[in-house]
Amino acid sequence: MIDKEFADHFAADWIDSWNQHDLVRILSHYTDDFEMSSPVIIKVVGELSGTLKGKEAVGSYWAKALQLVPNLHFELVTTLVGVNSITLYYNGVRGPSAEVFHFNQNGKVTSAYAHYL
């Protein structure tokens, strides 16, 4: 079970790592074989499923996204806690956004799902 303290720490570090454009730090939150699903994946890398698997594939996608949006900045609105998941609601370059993160027993993200208006 994820507690509020873990969720708040994860949220603050995740937001800050994105705002610093620190790809190594961003990827440190995830398992090596995690899956990322986002409608932006379709647009940026042309993967029609909208899902990428593994740090190498997702890291390449995020590196490209950071180049395309050099002014990327996130502002956390709230953190929602589930059983083994967290949802971050934040304002980003696409406006209001939410990401759902599923965690393993070691506190690393195994899958993430991005949602936008």
Side-chain angles (χ1 to χ4, degrees):
M1 179 89 177
I2 292 174
D3 62 26
K4 182 76 168 133
E5 182 179 350
F6 173 87
D8 288 344
H9 174 74
F10 173 84
D13 195 61
W14 187 86
I15 292 284
D16 188 59
S17 62
W18 275 103
N19 287 345
Q20 296 298 318
H21 297 199
D22 186 341
L23 189 55
V24 171
R25 189 170 153 209
I26 293 165
L27 288 168
S28 74
H29 297 104
Y30 301 85
T31 61
D32 289 340
D33 63 346
F34 83 101
E35 289 189 14
M36 176 71 206
S37 295
S38 169
V40 180
I41 288 171
I42 299 166
K43 295 176 184 173
V44 172
V45 296
E47 173 55 52
L48 297 180
S49 70
T51 299
L52 296 173
K53 185 170 184 167
K55 280 189 178 180
E56 186 175 334
V58 180
S60 293
Y61 154 63
W62 283 340
K64 186 174 182 179
L66 285 169
Q67 289 176 341
L68 293 171
V69 188
N71 64 337
L72 181 135
H73 182 82
F74 296 155
E75 180 183 323
L76 183 65
V77 175
T78 195
T79 304
L80 306 172
V81 181
V83 175
N84 290 314
S85 63
I86 295 171
T87 299
L88 299 184
Y89 180 61
Y90 61 94
N91 291 313
V93 293
R94 298 184 171 277
S97 306
E99 291 202 33
V100 180
F101 303 90
H102 291 263
F103 293 82
N104 67 12
Q105 67 278 5
N106 298 319
K108 296 291 185 180
V109 177
T110 59
S111 58
Y113 306 89
H115 302 80
Y116 310 100
L117 285 179

